[in-house]
Amino acid sequence: MALADYRADAMRCTRCSYCKWIPFDLVKSSRFAKGCPSVDHNNFHNYSGGGRLVTYLSLLDGRSEVTDRVVDIAFKCQLCGNCDVACKVCRYDMEVLAALREFRFWLAEQGRVPPRYQAVIEGFRRRGTMLGAPEADRGSWAQGAGVKDLSREKAELVFHPGCRHSLGGGLESVARTSLDILRKAGLDVGLLDNGQCCGGRVYHMGYREEFARTAARVLGAWEDAGVKTVVTPCADCYHTFKHLYAREGSRVETIHMVEFVDRLVREGRLEFTTPVPLKVTYHDPCHLGRQGEPFVPWEGAEKKIFGQAVVYDPPRPRYNGAQGVYEPPRDVLRAIPGIELVEMERIREAAWCCGAGGGVREAYPEFNAWTAAERVEEAKSTGADALVSACPWCEQNFSEALRDGRAPVRVFDVLELVRQAL
Amino acid sequence: MTLSRETYRQLEDIVGAENVSDDPVVLDAYAFEVLADLVRPEQSHFMPRPVAVIMPRTTEEVQTIVRLCNRHRIKVKPLSTGWYHFAAPQSDAPTLQLDMRRMDRILEIDEKNLIAVIEPYVIAAQLQAETLKLGLNINITGAGASCSVLASSCAYAGQGPMAYWMGGNAENLLALEWVTPAGEIVRTGSLGSGDGWFCGEGPGPSVRGICRGTIGSRGGMGVYTKCAVKLTHWPGPTEWKVRGTVPAYRLPIHEHFRVYTLAVPSWDAWADLYYQIYDNELGYVFHRQFNLAGADLAPAFWLMYNDHTKTLNDVEWMAQEPGMRELTEEMRISFQFIMAGRSVRDIELQDRILDAILAEVGGWKVKRFAEEDMAEFTNMYLQRLGHKHINYVWAGGYIGSWMQVGTPDWVKGYIPIASAGLERDAASGLLVQCGGDAMMGSGSGFPGGGGTGLEQFVSYDPNDRESTKAAVRHMEDAVRDATSYGFPPGKEALYLELSKTDEQVWASLAAANQPAVFEFQRKIKEALDPNNIGDRLYSTLPADRTIPADKTPATDRR
Ligand code: SF4
Ligand code: SF4
């Protein structure tokens, strides 16, 4: 696709501003009604989903030029997808999130990206990871685990911890717990490219080519190793494998670790024996929740029925958050004795983003921190002792937002609580 | 036109550099507006660009900005949530756009006295969510939950599906804080005499009608910075347990409520039923809503919408299914009706009365839409009005034509004309063909009933120039159809006005039923806006226009 392919979406935007809010039916208070971190922080209409459509329309039509402000508008956004869900409450002919991504590709191809991306992408090209961790640290979490190395051996299931879980930062225990559970379940599991990035984050930063190369390399390696299923505890990687790799032709089944644990609990193959006395609230990661829907291949074109009604031939898959992964992490938490789950106001398809997505953590630290702090405020309003998520990026962002230690809220990954309960 | 650096710096000094911009790409995001394509040359989606956008945080900042604009003869155009071409600059004259989104606080909810005090960027969904917790509700304007309560109260009439019970927001407006075009801060009604927000008229200055104007000032007459609105009793649960799957959320029906789609065999029966409903004081939310999808397609559309695995493609075959065809005929003339009682016995009595009057007029409750899924969906839709953007669902473009308000007997007179007009104009295939009757509207815009109106939903594709041109032709046709049958022009004339020259606008104001109103408004504008920094949406008739003798006010004629 090219940006011009999304011109129709801009032309059909009504500036209704639904994309600035969570779906209105779900609004429970004035305080937590807003849904778009970007426009809430930056205020000008351009910083909303619809505002970005108009921004590129203005550029495509030659009414304005690419400036630093345009770069700021395009990239100071988490690509969290709330706008997409909110717009599609009423529309079938809009693909706001896809258009926002395309806008970035268009700019990145012109070399117009936030200056802070430079170091990140260079690191990615050199080391294959988003993170600046030393080469030697990679995969140290798995030392002594005695797990298959799929660069030499074969297995049907590959465990992909994700760079954030495997490159320090204190999040390695999630990777270790996951691997333990998989092995205890008797699965033939291996590791490949331990510590390498899936490429999803560079994709969201606008580097489509780098992503495509990474995906091709990983998919080739999986094929050589006979991989049929990938399991990951990282919501970002989950989305990347389930959607972005699928678009590149992957047929490998993608499972998030919380889905896997949920399955084991349901089948009676995993039992929680140790109570974890904690009141928790669950944060839906964007890439597991509303963007975690099954991928459906589609190639088609617009057509009209009833004179002018816009439809697609064949019917276009509709990603609107209806089929995201919402219940498995909640079911796992509910199954742990001692845990009381209380909900925030903005949940499931209407969840407020943690702040880290879409290259915001890399380029706009202040905006990133503000977005996380906003979510932490919401978590605090529930009276929960802990804010729990299923993504290391969310976990790290919230931990940093709570670093001053003033709030009596702790941060966990679901799998950390699972480990405590086993 | 660009602002001088000096003026720009002065704006920065008022609100901080981060809250003002004159970057062309930022300005274009404000020039872009829905319906612009119907009134701008070459079907452009952009209204004129403002010279800068500024986001004030306080009334004092607004006042300083307005005074600066007076000094530099720059027009001022405020917007709150900013939906429709009225919100953008109306001419190429240098215009400063005030985006009011940083004034977003609910300042007070006075539960005992049924008053909420709000700033411009509080939307209806927010205010309703807060008032429900206290057992109170607000009237949500027909444009829905996304809209500013202040704007609908101060700058429009603010009517909608709930106005029948709660009154339109023009009536619900209590005291108001207003920065006039000349930069004076006026506090109206009781606020002006230091007595708080409870009354919009005396003992302080009573200017509600003056600042709103005839049909709403729509950003053309200064800046409203705070207002109080009237709240009403909410007989339902203080916490909504919304369920269902996006997009068709469902609100469970409380035991004090009934939610129906009511249907009748003819438009005569429709008018009779409306009168019976008024007379028997039934109803909480009263609206012909679902017919916006068109009488031929509405049942198939809404059942598709309630199945998240389906898309618009499915409507095509669903509408042809025998069962759906029957349902389509069953609810061809229908509307949505929610009743609220103070107790179970109360609502049971209301239900019996409804059954009796339905029997009398030959009407019925549509069974499929009374089943739990559709009834709960209807309840959600109409109690929150959070799906109003669905007006654009067919192709991204819609205009409302007709919508003249009158008694049911009078309104039924234009229904066949409006239906035939849409069928004729959609025959080209350039407009959506969904049945000639795609009319929707409130059961009554006035509390307790009396005046209704139906808006013809005309859907077009704004990404298709020919379709857009067909929409413009339809608007012109609708004006002609209305006037040739003795009806005043409808909503389309308001939209179209933006494409007219000043001379054309003045000619149509002079030909209106009460042109003296616009002469009076000119005098108001001369007094309050001496430097003409407002725009022509506050409609005025120049002094040199003659008003036909038969249209001068009765007192003058005497
Ligand atoms: S992107 Fe969608 S929700 Fe946002 S303003 Fe445009 S039409 Fe409305
Ligand atoms: S993706 Fe998220 S941050 Fe970006 S515009 Fe949409 S709602 Fe706002």
Side-chain angles (χ1 to χ4, degrees), chain A residues 183-233:
Chain A
R183 297 180 72 198
K184 281 194 184 124
L187 294 165
D188 180 21
V189 57
L191 292 169
L192 185 75
D193 265 356
N194 189 14
Q196 289 272 324
C197 181
C198 62
R201 291 184 80 84
V202 292
Y203 179 85
H204 298 305
M205 287 162 68
Y207 298 101
R208 184 157 38 188
E209 294 299 316
E210 277 75 2
F211 165 75
R213 275 197 292 276
T214 305
R217 185 180 53 71
V218 174
L219 285 171
W222 283 356
E223 196 174 342
D224 293 345
V227 168
K228 301 251 179 324
T229 303
V230 56
V231 177
T232 178

Short mmCIF file of all heavy atoms in Angstrom, two decimals, chain A residues 183-233:
data_model
loop_
_atom_site.label_atom_id
_atom_site.label_comp_id
_atom_site.label_asym_id
_atom_site.label_seq_id
_atom_site.Cartn_x
_atom_site.Cartn_y
_atom_site.Cartn_z
N ARG A 183 8.05 -26.37 29.48
CA ARG A 183 8.76 -27.65 29.56
C ARG A 183 8.03 -28.61 30.48
O ARG A 183 7.92 -29.80 30.20
CB ARG A 183 10.19 -27.42 30.02
CG ARG A 183 10.93 -26.56 28.97
CD ARG A 183 12.33 -26.29 29.35
NE ARG A 183 13.15 -27.48 29.23
CZ ARG A 183 14.33 -27.64 29.81
NH1 ARG A 183 14.80 -26.69 30.58
NH2 ARG A 183 15.03 -28.73 29.63
N LYS A 184 7.49 -28.07 31.58
CA LYS A 184 6.75 -28.96 32.50
C LYS A 184 5.50 -29.50 31.83
O LYS A 184 5.00 -30.56 32.19
CB LYS A 184 6.39 -28.21 33.78
CG LYS A 184 7.59 -28.12 34.73
CD LYS A 184 7.15 -27.69 36.12
CE LYS A 184 8.38 -27.52 37.00
NZ LYS A 184 8.48 -26.20 37.60
N ALA A 185 5.00 -28.76 30.88
CA ALA A 185 3.81 -29.23 30.14
C ALA A 185 4.20 -30.31 29.13
O ALA A 185 3.35 -30.83 28.41
CB ALA A 185 3.14 -28.07 29.44
N GLY A 186 5.48 -30.60 29.08
CA GLY A 186 5.96 -31.70 28.24
C GLY A 186 6.10 -31.34 26.78
O GLY A 186 6.03 -32.20 25.91
N LEU A 187 6.28 -30.06 26.50
CA LEU A 187 6.35 -29.65 25.10
C LEU A 187 7.77 -29.69 24.57
O LEU A 187 8.74 -29.46 25.31
CB LEU A 187 5.78 -28.24 24.96
CG LEU A 187 4.29 -28.17 25.25
CD1 LEU A 187 3.85 -26.74 25.46
CD2 LEU A 187 3.52 -28.79 24.09
N ASP A 188 7.84 -29.98 23.31
CA ASP A 188 9.14 -30.01 22.63
C ASP A 188 9.45 -28.58 22.21
O ASP A 188 9.01 -28.11 21.17
CB ASP A 188 9.00 -30.93 21.41
CG ASP A 188 10.29 -31.01 20.63
OD1 ASP A 188 11.36 -30.72 21.20
OD2 ASP A 188 10.21 -31.35 19.43
N VAL A 189 10.18 -27.87 23.07
CA VAL A 189 10.35 -26.43 22.86
C VAL A 189 11.82 -26.09 22.64
O VAL A 189 12.71 -26.74 23.20
CB VAL A 189 9.75 -25.65 24.06
CG1 VAL A 189 10.36 -26.07 25.38
CG2 VAL A 189 9.89 -24.15 23.88
N GLY A 190 12.05 -25.08 21.83
CA GLY A 190 13.42 -24.62 21.60
C GLY A 190 13.49 -23.11 21.57
O GLY A 190 12.48 -22.41 21.57
N LEU A 191 14.71 -22.62 21.56
CA LEU A 191 14.95 -21.17 21.47
C LEU A 191 15.71 -20.89 20.18
O LEU A 191 16.51 -21.70 19.74
CB LEU A 191 15.80 -20.69 22.65
CG LEU A 191 15.17 -20.73 24.04
CD1 LEU A 191 16.24 -20.47 25.09
CD2 LEU A 191 14.07 -19.70 24.14
N LEU A 192 15.44 -19.73 19.64
CA LEU A 192 16.14 -19.34 18.42
C LEU A 192 16.41 -17.84 18.49
O LEU A 192 15.54 -17.08 18.92
CB LEU A 192 15.23 -19.64 17.21
CG LEU A 192 15.81 -19.41 15.84
CD1 LEU A 192 16.82 -20.50 15.46
CD2 LEU A 192 14.69 -19.39 14.82
N ASP A 193 17.57 -17.45 18.10
CA ASP A 193 17.83 -16.01 18.07
C ASP A 193 17.54 -15.38 19.42
O ASP A 193 16.94 -14.30 19.49
CB ASP A 193 16.91 -15.34 17.03
CG ASP A 193 17.62 -15.20 15.72
OD1 ASP A 193 18.81 -15.57 15.66
OD2 ASP A 193 16.97 -14.73 14.77
N ASN A 194 17.90 -16.08 20.45
CA ASN A 194 17.57 -15.62 21.79
C ASN A 194 18.05 -14.18 22.01
O ASN A 194 19.24 -13.92 21.92
CB ASN A 194 18.22 -16.58 22.79
CG ASN A 194 17.77 -16.32 24.20
OD1 ASN A 194 16.80 -15.62 24.41
ND2 ASN A 194 18.49 -16.89 25.14
N GLY A 195 17.14 -13.29 22.29
CA GLY A 195 17.53 -11.90 22.51
C GLY A 195 17.40 -11.03 21.28
O GLY A 195 17.58 -9.83 21.35
N GLN A 196 17.08 -11.63 20.16
CA GLN A 196 16.89 -10.85 18.93
C GLN A 196 15.50 -10.22 18.94
O GLN A 196 14.57 -10.75 19.54
CB GLN A 196 17.02 -11.75 17.71
CG GLN A 196 18.45 -12.22 17.47
CD GLN A 196 19.22 -11.25 16.61
OE1 GLN A 196 18.68 -10.65 15.71
NE2 GLN A 196 20.51 -11.11 16.89
N CYS A 197 15.39 -9.13 18.23
CA CYS A 197 14.11 -8.42 18.17
C CYS A 197 13.25 -9.01 17.05
O CYS A 197 13.76 -9.41 16.01
CB CYS A 197 14.39 -6.95 17.91
SG CYS A 197 12.91 -5.97 17.84
N CYS A 198 11.95 -9.03 17.27
CA CYS A 198 11.03 -9.53 16.25
C CYS A 198 10.91 -8.55 15.08
O CYS A 198 10.42 -8.91 14.02
CB CYS A 198 9.66 -9.76 16.86
SG CYS A 198 8.93 -8.24 17.52
N GLY A 199 11.28 -7.31 15.31
CA GLY A 199 11.20 -6.30 14.25
C GLY A 199 9.94 -5.45 14.32
O GLY A 199 9.80 -4.48 13.57
N GLY A 200 9.03 -5.81 15.20
CA GLY A 200 7.76 -5.09 15.25
C GLY A 200 7.93 -3.61 15.57
O GLY A 200 7.28 -2.75 14.98
N ARG A 201 8.82 -3.34 16.48
CA ARG A 201 8.94 -1.93 16.88
C ARG A 201 9.57 -1.07 15.79
O ARG A 201 9.21 0.09 15.64
CB ARG A 201 9.70 -1.83 18.21
CG ARG A 201 8.86 -2.37 19.37
CD ARG A 201 9.51 -2.20 20.70
NE ARG A 201 9.37 -0.86 21.24
CZ ARG A 201 8.32 -0.42 21.93
NH1 ARG A 201 7.29 -1.20 22.13
NH2 ARG A 201 8.27 0.81 22.39
N VAL A 202 10.49 -1.64 15.03
CA VAL A 202 11.04 -0.82 13.93
C VAL A 202 9.97 -0.60 12.85
O VAL A 202 9.93 0.44 12.20
CB VAL A 202 12.34 -1.39 13.32
CG1 VAL A 202 13.49 -1.31 14.30
CG2 VAL A 202 12.19 -2.78 12.77
N TYR A 203 9.11 -1.60 12.70
CA TYR A 203 7.99 -1.44 11.76
C TYR A 203 7.14 -0.24 12.17
O TYR A 203 6.82 0.64 11.36
CB TYR A 203 7.16 -2.72 11.76
CG TYR A 203 5.95 -2.70 10.86
CD1 TYR A 203 6.06 -3.02 9.51
CD2 TYR A 203 4.69 -2.38 11.36
CE1 TYR A 203 4.94 -3.02 8.69
CE2 TYR A 203 3.57 -2.37 10.55
CZ TYR A 203 3.70 -2.70 9.21
OH TYR A 203 2.60 -2.69 8.39
N HIS A 204 6.79 -0.19 13.44
CA HIS A 204 5.94 0.91 13.90
C HIS A 204 6.67 2.24 13.83
O HIS A 204 6.03 3.30 13.75
CB HIS A 204 5.46 0.64 15.33
CG HIS A 204 4.62 -0.60 15.44
ND1 HIS A 204 3.51 -0.81 14.68
CD2 HIS A 204 4.77 -1.72 16.19
CE1 HIS A 204 2.99 -2.00 14.96
NE2 HIS A 204 3.74 -2.56 15.87
N MET A 205 7.98 2.22 13.88
CA MET A 205 8.75 3.46 13.76
C MET A 205 8.85 3.92 12.30
O MET A 205 9.40 4.98 12.03
CB MET A 205 10.14 3.28 14.37
CG MET A 205 10.11 3.20 15.89
SD MET A 205 11.60 2.47 16.61
CE MET A 205 12.81 3.70 16.24
N GLY A 206 8.36 3.11 11.40
CA GLY A 206 8.33 3.52 10.00
C GLY A 206 9.32 2.82 9.10
O GLY A 206 9.35 3.06 7.89
N TYR A 207 10.14 1.93 9.67
CA TYR A 207 11.18 1.27 8.87
C TYR A 207 10.66 -0.05 8.32
O TYR A 207 10.97 -1.12 8.81
CB TYR A 207 12.43 1.05 9.73
CG TYR A 207 13.06 2.32 10.23
CD1 TYR A 207 12.84 2.76 11.53
CD2 TYR A 207 13.86 3.10 9.40
CE1 TYR A 207 13.41 3.94 12.00
CE2 TYR A 207 14.43 4.28 9.85
CZ TYR A 207 14.19 4.69 11.16
OH TYR A 207 14.75 5.86 11.60
N ARG A 208 9.89 0.06 7.29
CA ARG A 208 9.22 -1.10 6.72
C ARG A 208 10.23 -2.11 6.15
O ARG A 208 10.05 -3.32 6.28
CB ARG A 208 8.26 -0.59 5.63
CG ARG A 208 7.43 -1.63 5.02
CD ARG A 208 6.17 -1.16 4.38
NE ARG A 208 6.20 0.10 3.65
CZ ARG A 208 5.07 0.67 3.18
NH1 ARG A 208 3.92 0.10 3.40
NH2 ARG A 208 5.12 1.79 2.53
N GLU A 209 11.27 -1.57 5.51
CA GLU A 209 12.25 -2.47 4.87
C GLU A 209 12.99 -3.31 5.90
O GLU A 209 13.16 -4.51 5.74
CB GLU A 209 13.28 -1.64 4.08
CG GLU A 209 12.69 -0.91 2.90
CD GLU A 209 12.09 -1.88 1.90
OE1 GLU A 209 12.73 -2.90 1.61
OE2 GLU A 209 10.96 -1.62 1.44
N GLU A 210 13.43 -2.63 6.97
CA GLU A 210 14.16 -3.36 8.02
C GLU A 210 13.29 -4.45 8.60
O GLU A 210 13.74 -5.55 8.88
CB GLU A 210 14.60 -2.40 9.15
CG GLU A 210 15.87 -1.66 8.88
CD GLU A 210 15.68 -0.52 7.89
OE1 GLU A 210 14.54 -0.29 7.43
OE2 GLU A 210 16.67 0.14 7.55
N PHE A 211 12.02 -4.10 8.78
CA PHE A 211 11.11 -5.10 9.33
C PHE A 211 11.00 -6.29 8.38
O PHE A 211 11.09 -7.45 8.80
CB PHE A 211 9.72 -4.51 9.58
CG PHE A 211 8.71 -5.60 9.80
CD1 PHE A 211 8.67 -6.28 11.01
CD2 PHE A 211 7.85 -5.99 8.78
CE1 PHE A 211 7.79 -7.33 11.20
CE2 PHE A 211 6.97 -7.03 8.96
CZ PHE A 211 6.93 -7.71 10.17
N ALA A 212 10.81 -5.99 7.10
CA ALA A 212 10.60 -7.08 6.13
C ALA A 212 11.82 -8.01 6.11
O ALA A 212 11.68 -9.23 6.02
CB ALA A 212 10.34 -6.50 4.75
N ARG A 213 13.00 -7.44 6.20
CA ARG A 213 14.22 -8.27 6.20
C ARG A 213 14.26 -9.16 7.45
O ARG A 213 14.57 -10.34 7.37
CB ARG A 213 15.47 -7.38 6.14
CG ARG A 213 15.84 -6.98 4.71
CD ARG A 213 17.26 -6.47 4.64
NE ARG A 213 17.43 -5.20 5.33
CZ ARG A 213 17.16 -4.02 4.77
NH1 ARG A 213 16.73 -3.95 3.53
NH2 ARG A 213 17.33 -2.89 5.45
N THR A 214 13.91 -8.55 8.59
CA THR A 214 13.91 -9.33 9.84
C THR A 214 12.90 -10.47 9.75
O THR A 214 13.21 -11.62 10.10
CB THR A 214 13.56 -8.42 11.03
OG1 THR A 214 14.46 -7.33 11.04
CG2 THR A 214 13.65 -9.16 12.35
N ALA A 215 11.71 -10.13 9.29
CA ALA A 215 10.65 -11.15 9.22
C ALA A 215 11.09 -12.29 8.30
O ALA A 215 10.90 -13.48 8.63
CB ALA A 215 9.36 -10.52 8.73
N ALA A 216 11.68 -11.95 7.15
CA ALA A 216 12.09 -12.99 6.20
C ALA A 216 13.15 -13.89 6.84
O ALA A 216 13.09 -15.13 6.70
CB ALA A 216 12.63 -12.34 4.93
N ARG A 217 14.07 -13.28 7.56
CA ARG A 217 15.14 -14.07 8.18
C ARG A 217 14.56 -15.00 9.25
O ARG A 217 14.85 -16.19 9.28
CB ARG A 217 16.17 -13.12 8.80
CG ARG A 217 17.40 -13.83 9.36
CD ARG A 217 18.39 -12.84 9.95
NE ARG A 217 17.81 -11.93 10.93
CZ ARG A 217 17.42 -12.31 12.15
NH1 ARG A 217 17.57 -13.55 12.54
NH2 ARG A 217 16.88 -11.43 12.97
N VAL A 218 13.70 -14.46 10.11
CA VAL A 218 13.14 -15.26 11.20
C VAL A 218 12.26 -16.38 10.64
O VAL A 218 12.36 -17.55 11.05
CB VAL A 218 12.34 -14.38 12.18
CG1 VAL A 218 11.63 -15.23 13.23
CG2 VAL A 218 13.27 -13.38 12.86
N LEU A 219 11.45 -16.03 9.67
CA LEU A 219 10.54 -17.04 9.12
C LEU A 219 11.33 -18.16 8.44
O LEU A 219 10.97 -19.34 8.54
CB LEU A 219 9.56 -16.40 8.13
CG LEU A 219 8.44 -15.58 8.79
CD1 LEU A 219 7.65 -14.80 7.75
CD2 LEU A 219 7.51 -16.48 9.59
N GLY A 220 12.42 -17.78 7.79
CA GLY A 220 13.29 -18.79 7.16
C GLY A 220 13.87 -19.72 8.22
O GLY A 220 13.87 -20.96 8.07
N ALA A 221 14.33 -19.14 9.31
CA ALA A 221 14.94 -19.94 10.38
C ALA A 221 13.89 -20.86 11.03
O ALA A 221 14.18 -22.01 11.36
CB ALA A 221 15.57 -19.02 11.43
N TRP A 222 12.70 -20.33 11.21
CA TRP A 222 11.63 -21.16 11.79
C TRP A 222 11.34 -22.35 10.86
O TRP A 222 11.16 -23.47 11.32
CB TRP A 222 10.35 -20.34 11.97
CG TRP A 222 10.36 -19.40 13.15
CD1 TRP A 222 11.34 -19.27 14.09
CD2 TRP A 222 9.33 -18.47 13.50
NE1 TRP A 222 10.99 -18.32 15.01
CE2 TRP A 222 9.76 -17.80 14.68
CE3 TRP A 222 8.11 -18.12 12.95
CZ2 TRP A 222 9.00 -16.80 15.30
CZ3 TRP A 222 7.35 -17.13 13.57
CH2 TRP A 222 7.78 -16.48 14.73
N GLU A 223 11.29 -22.04 9.60
CA GLU A 223 10.98 -23.12 8.66
C GLU A 223 12.05 -24.21 8.72
O GLU A 223 11.74 -25.40 8.79
CB GLU A 223 10.89 -22.55 7.25
CG GLU A 223 10.21 -23.52 6.33
CD GLU A 223 9.95 -22.96 4.94
OE1 GLU A 223 9.98 -21.72 4.78
OE2 GLU A 223 9.73 -23.77 4.04
N ASP A 224 13.31 -23.77 8.75
CA ASP A 224 14.41 -24.74 8.82
C ASP A 224 14.31 -25.59 10.08
O ASP A 224 14.68 -26.76 10.09
CB ASP A 224 15.77 -24.02 8.81
CG ASP A 224 16.01 -23.33 7.48
OD1 ASP A 224 15.28 -23.66 6.51
OD2 ASP A 224 16.89 -22.45 7.41
N ALA A 225 13.83 -24.97 11.17
CA ALA A 225 13.78 -25.69 12.45
C ALA A 225 12.47 -26.47 12.62
O ALA A 225 12.27 -27.11 13.65
CB ALA A 225 13.95 -24.70 13.60
N GLY A 226 11.62 -26.40 11.63
CA GLY A 226 10.35 -27.15 11.70
C GLY A 226 9.34 -26.56 12.67
O GLY A 226 8.45 -27.26 13.18
N VAL A 227 9.45 -25.25 12.90
CA VAL A 227 8.56 -24.60 13.89
C VAL A 227 7.13 -24.49 13.35
O VAL A 227 6.91 -24.05 12.22
CB VAL A 227 9.12 -23.21 14.25
CG1 VAL A 227 8.09 -22.39 15.02
CG2 VAL A 227 10.41 -23.34 15.04
N LYS A 228 6.18 -24.90 14.19
CA LYS A 228 4.76 -24.76 13.81
C LYS A 228 4.06 -23.72 14.70
O LYS A 228 3.03 -23.18 14.33
CB LYS A 228 4.03 -26.09 13.99
CG LYS A 228 4.59 -27.24 13.17
CD LYS A 228 3.62 -27.59 12.06
CE LYS A 228 4.05 -28.71 11.14
NZ LYS A 228 5.45 -28.81 10.85
N THR A 229 4.63 -23.53 15.89
CA THR A 229 3.98 -22.63 16.85
C THR A 229 5.04 -21.77 17.53
O THR A 229 6.11 -22.28 17.87
CB THR A 229 3.25 -23.46 17.94
OG1 THR A 229 2.32 -24.32 17.30
CG2 THR A 229 2.51 -22.57 18.93
N VAL A 230 4.68 -20.49 17.73
CA VAL A 230 5.57 -19.63 18.52
C VAL A 230 4.79 -19.17 19.75
O VAL A 230 3.62 -18.80 19.66
CB VAL A 230 6.10 -18.42 17.70
CG1 VAL A 230 4.98 -17.60 17.09
CG2 VAL A 230 6.99 -17.52 18.54
N VAL A 231 5.44 -19.25 20.89
CA VAL A 231 4.84 -18.77 22.13
C VAL A 231 5.71 -17.63 22.64
O VAL A 231 6.94 -17.73 22.66
CB VAL A 231 4.77 -19.88 23.19
CG1 VAL A 231 4.21 -19.33 24.51
CG2 VAL A 231 3.90 -21.03 22.70
N THR A 232 5.05 -16.55 23.03
CA THR A 232 5.80 -15.40 23.54
C THR A 232 5.07 -14.76 24.71
O THR A 232 3.83 -14.73 24.71
CB THR A 232 6.04 -14.35 22.42
OG1 THR A 232 6.73 -13.24 22.98
CG2 THR A 232 4.74 -13.86 21.81
N PRO A 233 5.79 -14.25 25.69
CA PRO A 233 5.14 -13.52 26.77
C PRO A 233 5.09 -12.02 26.51
O PRO A 233 4.70 -11.25 27.39
CB PRO A 233 6.04 -13.82 27.97
CG PRO A 233 7.40 -14.02 27.37
CD PRO A 233 7.23 -14.48 25.96
#
